[in-house]
Amino acid sequence: MIHNTVINYIFIRICLCLSTGGKLKSVAGVTHPSSSKWYRPRCGFVELVDFVSPSAVCQATYPSYNSDLMNKYVSKEMGYGVPREGWRICLAHEFKEKRKPFQAKDVSLANAWGHIGLGIRYLKWWYKKTQVEKKAPFIDMFRAQPLRQIYGAPLGGIGGGTITRGWRGEFCRWQLNPGMYHYKTVIANQFTVCLRRGGQTVYQQVLSVEHPPTLQGWNWGYCGEYAFYHALYPRAWTVYDLPGQNVTLTCRQISPVIPHDYQDSSLPVAVFVWDIENKNDYDLDVSIMFTMVNGSGHKDDKSGGHWNEPFHLEKEGEAVSGVLLHHCTTVNPYTLCIAAREQPDREVSHQTAFSPRGTCSGLWSDLLTDGRLDSPTGSSPPTTKGEKVAAALAVSCSVLAQSCNNLEFSLAWDMPKITFGAREREHIRRYTRYFGTKGDASPSLSHYALKHYRQWENSIEEWQRPVLQDSSLPFWYKSALFNELYYVVDGGTVWTELPEDADVSGGVRSKDGGLPAQPTVIKEYGRFAYLEGQEYRMYNTYDVHFYASFALIMLWPKLALSMQYDIAGSVVQHDHTERLHLMSGQYSPVKTKNVVPHDIGDPDDEPWERVNAYLIHDTADWKDLNLKFVLQVYRDFHLTQDSQYLKDMWPICKAVMESEMKFDLDEDGLIENSGYADQTYDGWTVTGPSAYCGGLWLASLCVMCKMARLLDQEETYQCYRDVLDRGSTAFDKLLWNGKYYNYDSSGRHFSNSVMSDQCAGHWFLRASGLGEGEYQAFPKEKIQSALKSVFDLNVMSFAEGQMGAVNGMRPEGVPDHSSVQSDEVWIGVVYGLAATMIHEGMREEGMRTAEGCYRSVWEKLGMAFQTPEAYCEKGIFRSLAYMRPLSVWAMQLALNTSQKDKTTSVQTAERQEAGRGFEKES
């Protein structure tokens, strides 16, 4: 949703045209510092090897892997304990296709002409926000993030901030301040290996393919052809074959992201385990050095007052030591901690402080001399303004000939109290329930992580095993299912404690037919929020969460329910403050009562306190938000069987359905769209009854009937049953064309386009155990015909069937270009479509549909761990790192449901057969 190209078009292609005397200029996005020139691998030595085709090695051992990603890998080493399944790429790989974010030139005049007013209003608003208020706009139309094809699995648990480590090993994306991203590769944050034999250093190398202009005293330029990265979130592996040394290093990265675990999953920590394989006939002494800058590459790294200190912590029979890096900013100060486990056969040493500028040859020589660091005592002095400081930690061990050993590091960050941009309220992060709020938890966090990471891995393996061992599932799907889950953690995610004075009921208490002031689930499990996208900075964007919500309800259901209580409380709130909505140019209230909010706020403002950061449209008149709330309430109940939750949500569901009734203008039981983009496709105009919103409406009526029966409200059941029966008749009459449901019933030229998302309502019914018998809103044969039409046209007739399903397709087999969104592929929508196909017995078609998106994003376009909202067939993408693709978990629910249905059918048949046998014997 929230398409920025129209506004880009107006101001970059029209307004700039006017301001430059009619000369159109080509305006690209903001240029980011690029380190791509450092990625050209240059080996510092030559080793004679028997060349084996990388495709042959990879395909023989791991038949799922795209050979393009691994075709530069020249080693035969497959690493220590690296799984078969996941996403794999050689460190020397370069993606051929370099896509750009949407720009003015990508929009036609026909699509932009009706939005000139929007453009002018946005420019005025943007100028006031950025130049007068000095704040970041919730979506910056002029500074779209360029594609950097570098990201790997993020570090850390849920809601405590994230640090992303790229697949080449760089620390390159930071979200420590809640919801606010900083894209900067900090070049001094590295791992370095030192090999010693007979008391002499024989090899010392920074494990990075880069050649930076700083730190020239270090040995850079590791040959990327000898290493590969493998991700199966929340773990990742990097395998380094050290050419000429007969040594293989496997770095295993572990974050505590564990389904149904509400303690350890909240911890802001990660562990790096280095498995060292010595294949020589002689022993080696091996040291790994971890260097870390005090900061994130942000300008406040030079603000002064930052300092480091060494620490040692021993408890519960385990000891850890390392360095604390205190980052003392005025707002949201934090402490970084690099640490290692102390063991009898390991030596831990450190350098408290060094300058990450210049050649830094002193630190390099210190390690080179004896494989250890000087380990000075005492703290470093606070930095002066303009100065940066870093720290180093080294761990050493002996590795016998033809054997293996390992070294363990942890990285933790402690920012226990946070404020959002408005600085009006202090929030306490979830992990502080277990580690305190004083800001001194980094040593304890590191100790805990190093002591418990093996338990985390056991839990992760137990969770993933059924999927990974299912031979009927393709390898790409296993990668997609787990790796897309990164966004639960790295979606600007915050997980906070509920303040004692908070009232989430919206002021309407349970005794008055509303909600409890502090629902038990929020009080016990905290408040949860994640962004629509890293570039679309709104928390809990509800029309998009509709798709993404499957990951939460299946893996952390308490967080899903907690979020629903928050949304429910905001439904009954109202904010009469008038503000300008940029599309219409009209003033209307920020929040209307008995309407689901679009979002719960901007992290640069004060989320939860002020909702609806989105101001393009007045979403009080959107047709999908209320319906998506109702559908999620019942879906969540179906999966959790939490009867108290159902009772609490029931009056809110009735209120939003009553509010929705006003959109049925002709009282035929079917709502009408209002002639503008009044739903999640907010750049795609829809008029009158429509397949998407009409289908959601009928599905909502269906689940209201079901909930009324469960709650013994027969009169309410009859009311909704009557509307459902009339609405179903109208839906078929107005939209069914014999093969599929038309986009809308307006009769316009494009009203008979094939929308890939036309069965969204039925999808949710099937995901909720409904859709048949009494609780069927759509004839089965029509749903299957519609899905077949979508597969034939939107999937197989688009991009040769290799890129998923385009949003809109004309019946003659060409994309619908009537809007800026109809010819896009929305990855999250495609995964939901695939789930619908699986529910309907079209498993092969569903898998083929979803595979196109995975292959495009992860293997062709270099968008790993930044899956966008959308891409077009050629050239462009929109909104990197987006919430909606979490809907891949809807596919897993569909697969689970299909398997249960199949098992039930077999058992029923066996019982019937046994019964017939008994009758025959009798």
Side-chain angles (χ1 to χ4, degrees):
M1 60 170 294
I2 310 174
H3 204 301
N4 60 8
T5 44
V6 170
I7 297 173
N8 275 342
Y9 183 92
I10 299 306
F11 290 106
I12 300 177
R13 195 168 179 178
I14 296 181
C15 292
L16 283 181
C17 174
L18 296 175
S19 67
T20 57
K23 296 179 180 179
L24 291 177
K25 296 183 178 181
S26 175
V27 181
V30 173
T31 302
H32 270 241
S34 173
S35 55
S36 61
K37 63 180 180 180
W38 300 341
Y39 294 153
R40 295 169 188 160
R42 295 182 299 183
C43 303
F45 44 81
V46 176
E47 179 187 16
L48 296 177
V49 298
D50 294 328
F51 181 78
V52 177
S53 164
S55 297
V57 172
C58 251
Q59 295 299 320
T61 312
Y62 301 99
S64 69
Y65 290 109
N66 183 315
S67 60
D68 287 345
L69 300 184
M70 287 291 288
N71 63 7
K72 289 189 176 181
Y73 186 56
V74 300
S75 173
K76 300 178 184 179
E77 298 300 326
M78 289 293 114
Y80 186 89
V82 182
R84 286 168 52 86
E85 302 84 3
W87 179 70
R88 179 164 295 189
I89 185 169
C90 176
L91 267 58
H93 181 75
E94 289 285 348
F95 288 95
K96 296 177 182 178
E97 186 166 350
K98 309 290 184 182
R99 290 207 168 196
K100 295 182 179 180
F102 273 106
Q103 300 177 61
K105 62 184 178 59
D106 302 312
V107 186
S108 68
L109 277 172
N111 283 333
W113 186 250
H115 299 81
I116 294 177
L118 166 65
I120 295 171
R121 288 185 286 272
Y122 178 83
L123 181 59
K124 291 179 178 178
W125 174 85
W126 181 90
Y127 181 84
K128 179 182 178 183
K129 175 68 69 172
T130 60
Q131 305 303 310
V132 179
E133 300 176 10
K134 305 297 182 183
K135 304 285 282 185
F138 72 93
I139 174 171
D140 196 327
M141 306 299 190
F142 303 120
R143 298 191 182 102
Q145 287 294 322
L147 177 60
R148 302 176 70 205
Q149 298 163 317
I150 63 173
Y151 296 115
L155 303 166
I158 301 173
T162 49
I163 300 171
T164 297
R165 190 165 177 246
W167 51 267
R168 290 189 177 102
E170 62 272 67
F171 290 76
C172 51
R173 185 170 65 195
W174 306 78
Q175 189 258 146
L176 298 178
N177 284 318
M180 308 299 290
Y181 278 84
H182 175 56
Y183 303 88
K184 179 69 175 180
T185 296
V186 181
I187 195 61
N189 293 353
Q190 298 291 345
F191 286 100
T192 296
V193 61
C194 174
L195 305 182
R196 292 173 57 78
R197 179 185 179 190
Q200 299 293 320
T201 298
V202 297
Y203 181 89
Q204 187 162 298
Q205 174 73 51
V206 182
L207 294 170
S208 169
V209 300
E210 300 186 5
H211 291 269
T214 59
L215 305 175
Q216 291 296 306
W218 298 9
N219 185 27
W220 295 91
Y222 173 83
C223 194
E225 286 95 337
Y226 288 86
F228 69 85
Y229 177 85
H230 183 97
L232 187 65
Y233 190 76
R235 297 191 295 171
W237 295 255
T238 311
V239 177
Y240 303 89
D241 181 11
L242 305 183
Q245 306 305 313
N246 219 15
V247 171
T248 302
L249 306 176
T250 302
C251 177
R252 186 165 82 258
Q253 171 184 310
I254 306 125
S255 292
V257 181
I258 305 164
H260 308 286
D261 181 325
Y262 298 92
Q263 175 176 318
D264 290 5
S265 290
S266 72
L267 304 183
V269 297
V271 173
F272 302 96
V273 179
W274 288 83
D275 288 298
I276 307 157
E277 297 176 87
N278 178 13
K279 300 177 182 178
N280 293 292
D281 294 327
Y282 48 81
D283 300 347
L284 287 172
D285 293 320
V286 181
S287 300
I288 301 288
M289 180 175 71
F290 186 14
T291 51
M292 196 80 185
V293 171
N294 187 329
S296 63
H298 193 268
K299 62 182 180 180
D300 66 21
D301 292 359
K302 300 180 182 181
S303 61
H306 312 311
W307 57 287
N308 302 342
E309 65 171 327
F311 80 95
H312 172 83
L313 176 62
E314 186 170 353
K315 63 179 180 179
E316 301 171 357
E318 295 281 353
V320 299
S321 60
V323 185
L324 304 174
L325 297 82
H326 302 291
H327 198 74
C328 304
T329 50
T330 303
V331 178
N332 296 338
Y334 61 90
T335 297
L336 288 167
C337 176
I338 53 176
R341 183 201 298 269
E342 291 194 349
Q343 299 179 70
D345 56 347
R346 307 286 191 277
E347 183 176 9
V348 181
S349 58
H350 70 271
Q351 181 58 258
T352 307
F354 70 90
S355 173
R357 294 179 174 178
T359 63
C360 204
S361 56
L363 179 69
W364 188 262
S365 298
D366 188 7
L367 184 68
L368 189 71
T369 300
D370 55 9
R372 64 183 304 278
L373 302 175
D374 286 343
S375 298
T377 59
S379 305
S380 70
T383 57
T384 59
K385 191 170 183 179
E387 178 187 12
K388 291 183 180 182
V389 66
L393 183 71
V395 188
S396 308
C397 70
S398 295
V399 188
L400 300 178
Q402 299 297 331
S403 68
C404 183
N405 210 340
N406 64 61
L407 301 172
E408 302 159 317
F409 292 85
S410 67
L411 173 64
W413 50 99
D414 184 23
M415 185 192 286
K417 300 177 181 180
I418 56 173
T419 57
F420 293 106
R423 315 283 183 248
E424 294 177 4
R425 177 184 281 271
E426 187 175 74
H427 301 264
I428 307 299
R429 292 200 195 261
R430 167 74 177 185
Y431 76 88
T432 62
R433 177 176 292 203
Y434 316 105
F435 288 89
T437 61
K438 295 180 180 179
D440 59 359
S442 290
S444 296
L445 283 165
S446 299
H447 184 281
Y448 188 89
L450 288 166
K451 184 177 180 180
H452 289 86
Y453 79 85
R454 291 187 183 89
Q455 297 176 25
W456 298 343
E457 289 195 285
N458 290 337
S459 297
I460 292 166
E461 288 169 0
E462 183 180 357
W463 157 48
Q464 294 183 339
R465 186 177 297 115
V467 173
L468 300 182
Q469 291 185 350
D470 188 343
S471 60
S472 71
L473 297 175
F475 275 71
W476 68 262
Y477 171 76
K478 297 171 184 180
S479 175
L481 185 68
F482 294 114
N483 285 324
E484 290 289 6
L485 200 60
Y486 85 96
Y487 197 81
V488 169
V489 171
D490 203 20
T493 311
V494 289
W495 186 1
T496 65
E497 296 288 1
L498 183 66
E500 292 183 1
D501 62 346
D503 180 351
V504 305
S505 70
V508 182
R509 299 296 179 82
S510 51
K511 62 183 177 62
D512 302 315
L515 299 167
Q518 294 205 338
T520 301
V521 69
I522 303 185
K523 202 168 182 179
E524 184 174 350
Y525 294 98
R527 260 181 161 172
F528 175 86
Y530 62 153
L531 297 175
E532 178 180 330
Q534 290 179 7
E535 295 187 75
Y536 288 6
R537 212 181 54 250
M538 293 153 286
Y539 273 130
N540 294 352
T541 299
Y542 203 74
D543 56 303
V544 184
H545 172 69
F546 174 75
Y547 297 82
S549 61
F550 285 87
L552 278 186
I553 194 60
M554 293 172 69
L555 302 175
W556 292 276
K558 300 299 184 183
L559 294 184
L561 299 189
S562 171
M563 180 178 161
Q564 284 287 84
Y565 274 99
D566 255 331
I567 293 293
S570 67
V571 166
V572 299
Q573 292 178 341
H574 51 87
D575 182 347
H576 295 301
T577 305
E578 295 278 319
R579 72 171 177 187
L580 179 69
H581 286 91
L582 301 179
M583 178 63 78
S584 66
Q586 298 177 352
Y587 284 85
S588 52
V590 170
K591 172 66 175 66
T592 302
K593 187 176 181 179
N594 290 343
V595 171
V596 172
H598 172 273
D599 58 83
I600 58 100
D602 178 352
D604 203 32
D605 186 23
E606 195 61 51
W608 289 302
E609 295 294 322
R610 284 184 290 280
V611 303
N612 283 342
Y614 177 82
L615 46 68
I616 306 296
H617 295 283
D618 178 6
T619 58
D621 288 330
W622 273 21
K623 307 305 181 291
D624 60 340
L625 289 168
N626 292 343
L627 307 176
K628 289 173 174 177
F629 178 81
V630 172
L631 290 170
Q632 286 186 72
V633 164
Y634 184 74
R635 189 273 318 269
D636 295 350
F637 166 74
H638 171 69
L639 294 178
T640 65
Q641 293 298 298
D642 188 330
S643 57
Q644 186 59 51
Y645 167 75
L646 185 65
K647 292 175 183 176
D648 288 342
M649 294 296 128
W650 176 242
I652 308 298
C653 289
K654 289 196 295 183
V656 299
M657 287 297 285
E658 182 65 27
S659 177
E660 193 79 9
M661 288 283 189
K662 67 178 180 288
F663 299 125
D664 180 10
L665 302 177
D666 56 6
E667 298 184 349
D668 65 349
L670 186 62
I671 62 170
E672 290 91 45
N673 291 88
S674 301
Y676 70 100
D678 54 356
Q679 25 68 47
T680 195
Y681 296 88
D682 59 348
W684 194 358
T685 299
V686 56
T687 303
S690 67
Y692 184 69
C693 291
L696 294 175
W697 167 249
L698 296 181
S700 298
L701 291 169
C702 196
V703 302
M704 289 298 287
C705 290
K706 178 66 176 180
M707 289 189 287
R709 276 278 168 84
L710 289 171
L711 296 169
D712 296 322
Q713 298 198 16
E714 187 62 25
E715 184 176 344
T716 304
Y717 168 85
Q718 291 298 336
C719 174
Y720 286 116
R721 182 80 250 177
D722 174 65
V723 180
L724 175 59
D725 291 342
R726 290 187 290 112
S728 295
T729 301
F731 189 76
D732 275 0
K733 178 181 178 181
L734 295 171
L735 294 165
W736 181 251
N737 64 18
K739 291 185 177 180
Y740 59 89
Y741 295 104
N742 287 336
Y743 176 69
D744 67 21
S745 60
S746 65
R748 298 173 304 160
H749 176 64
F750 289 96
S751 66
N752 66 336
S753 287
V754 187
M755 187 187 198
S756 66
D757 213 4
Q758 63 183 272
C759 298
H762 180 73
W763 164 39
F764 251 72
L765 289 180
R766 293 304 304 269
S768 304
L770 304 177
E772 295 179 332
E774 182 182 359
Y775 301 105
Q776 179 179 358
F778 312 92
K780 184 178 182 66
E781 65 277 6
K782 291 183 178 178
I783 289 292
Q784 292 184 335
S785 175
L787 291 174
K788 185 179 185 304
S789 296
V790 169
F791 182 74
D792 291 343
L793 290 168
N794 301 57
V795 179
M796 299 307 296
S797 297
F798 174 75
E800 299 180 345
Q802 301 298 313
M803 296 186 75
V806 67
N807 283 340
M809 199 73 170
R810 300 295 301 139
E812 58 269 23
V814 296
D816 180 340
H817 296 293
S818 64
S819 80
V820 289
Q821 292 176 336
S822 54
D823 61 359
E824 291 182 323
V825 175
W826 286 11
I827 295 91
V829 167
V830 173
Y831 288 148
L833 168 63
T836 314
M837 291 176 172
I838 294 169
H839 279 300
E840 289 303 313
M842 301 169 63
R843 176 167 168 161
E844 183 177 345
E845 293 89 340
M847 285 295 180
R848 174 68 183 269
T849 297
E851 181 178 4
C853 280
Y854 174 82
R855 300 285 187 190
S856 296
V857 169
W858 290 79
E859 297 180 351
K860 179 183 177 184
L861 303 180
M863 296 177 175
F865 297 102
Q866 54 182 328
T867 304
E869 158 72 316
Y871 56 71
C872 289
E873 183 175 3
K874 295 179 180 179
I876 48 182
F877 65 87
R878 182 166 59 80
S879 185
L880 291 170
Y882 198 77
M883 176 197 290
R884 204 181 320 246
L886 284 170
S887 60
V888 67
W889 278 87
M891 293 180 64
Q892 187 60 31
L893 179 63
L895 290 166
N896 293 344
T897 302
S898 298
Q899 184 60 41
K900 289 178 182 177
D901 291 345
K902 183 177 180 180
T903 301
T904 301
S905 298
V906 170
Q907 291 173 343
T908 301
E910 289 175 347
R911 285 196 297 269
Q912 291 173 344
E913 184 64 29
R916 283 193 291 270
F918 177 77
E919 291 172 359
K920 186 178 292 186
E921 289 178 10
S922 299

